[in-house]
Amino acid sequence: MEIAMSFRKEKKFRMSYSDLALAKTRLLEMGMTKLHPNRVITSQYFDTRCLKMFSESEEGLLPRKKIRVRWYNSESENLTLEEKTSSIEGRFKETFPISCDDYEKSLKTGLSNSMYGVIFPSAKVSYQREYYIYKKMRFTFDSNITYKHFSSSRVIRDFDRVLEIKSPIDASDDFLEKIFPYPTTRFSKYCRAFLLKDRIL
């Protein structure tokens, strides 16, 4: 089984539509360029019955994981199983290929994980992402964010937009703050699927 792994820093900025547009204009003027075409990203997250991963993320505990099956646009046959780990050393993501049959099976019987035991489908997250690059840093702009709990047909819409900067683990925080002087924020789409559970599209 192939594994893709990368350590990186991540900074997130929760913004209104107008603030995000202004930030994008400023960064383009500085030399930010398009990395590749926009995509719609869909992730089916998994968790324990008592939502341990959600609780750990909300409490900021380390180490912690988020585990999901992800696909892009309408290509639901090209699936990857991703384990995203937050630790004292930084963040990294492991990516494993998963077949459609195994994914469908996991929706019924769950997945086995060494850290959490058997985990089950919890919430689905979907959004549109724009990709840019500047000085070896990747900038992504997320909008049209929606959530759907596995046991419900109800769709929840998130009206906030998110800018995320992913940089090498050795990148200077001072440099990041100098080129983008906005306050960072915690923004876990998976957690917001539960925090906004009473909002209806």
Side-chain angles (χ1 to χ4, degrees):
M1 177 177 291
E2 296 181 0
I3 303 175
M5 181 184 297
S6 61
F7 281 91
R8 62 194 180 186
K9 286 183 179 180
E10 296 181 0
K11 288 185 176 290
K12 295 182 181 180
F13 304 86
R14 177 180 171 185
M15 295 179 161
S16 66
Y17 174 82
S18 58
D19 285 342
L20 196 67
L22 288 171
K24 187 188 299 183
T25 298
R26 179 175 182 270
L27 288 164
L28 288 169
E29 290 172 348
M30 293 172 61
M32 181 180 74
T33 57
K34 192 81 170 177
L35 184 59
H36 55 71
N38 300 352
R39 297 191 289 193
V40 174
I41 298 175
T42 304
S43 297
Q44 174 63 63
Y45 283 83
F46 290 75
D47 208 334
T48 64
R49 293 293 194 194
C50 62
L51 301 179
K52 187 175 182 180
M53 281 180 261
F54 164 73
S55 298
E56 289 178 346
S57 182
E58 280 295 283
E59 295 171 13
L61 299 181
L62 296 175
R64 64 178 185 269
K65 289 179 181 285
K66 289 193 178 81
I67 299 173
R68 63 200 180 199
V69 172
R70 171 168 285 191
W71 60 93
Y72 298 93
N73 297 326
S74 59
E75 299 176 5
S76 56
E77 70 276 8
N78 295 320
L79 307 175
T80 55
L81 173 62
E82 299 182 353
E83 293 192 12
K84 190 175 182 180
T85 301
S86 297
S87 65
I88 296 174
E89 295 79 12
R91 299 185 180 191
F92 68 91
K93 183 172 69 174
E94 298 174 281
T95 303
F96 311 82
I98 182 171
S99 69
C100 292
D101 288 344
D102 285 343
Y103 171 59
E104 291 297 329
K105 182 180 178 181
S106 73
L107 296 178
K108 299 175 182 177
T109 62
L111 293 168
S112 179
N113 180 264
S114 60
M115 187 170 176
Y116 295 97
V118 180
I119 54 177
F120 301 91
S122 52
K124 183 181 287 184
V125 178
S126 184
Y127 53 95
Q128 179 174 297
R129 171 164 285 182
E130 301 175 55
Y131 300 82
Y132 294 86
I133 193 165
Y134 175 69
K135 292 186 180 293
K136 297 183 180 180
M137 294 177 292
R138 193 176 78 167
F139 292 74
T140 56
F141 298 83
D142 296 344
S143 59
N144 300 324
I145 305 168
T146 60
Y147 312 114
K148 181 178 174 297
H149 292 185
F150 184 72
S151 59
S152 172
S153 60
R154 187 161 57 92
V155 176
I156 305 162
R157 183 174 181 182
D158 195 330
F159 296 101
D160 286 325
R161 275 78 173 174
V162 185
L163 164 61
E164 187 170 347
I165 302 175
K166 295 182 175 70
S167 61
I169 195 68
D170 57 352
S172 166
D173 286 339
D174 291 342
F175 177 71
L176 290 175
E177 291 168 3
K178 187 180 295 184
I179 67 167
F180 199 78
Y182 293 86
T184 59
T185 185
R186 292 185 69 241
F187 194 102
S188 165
K189 296 184 185 71
Y190 176 58
C191 289
R192 286 174 71 83
F194 294 95
L195 297 174
L196 300 179
K197 63 182 180 180
D198 294 327
R199 180 178 291 177
I200 302 175
L201 181 64

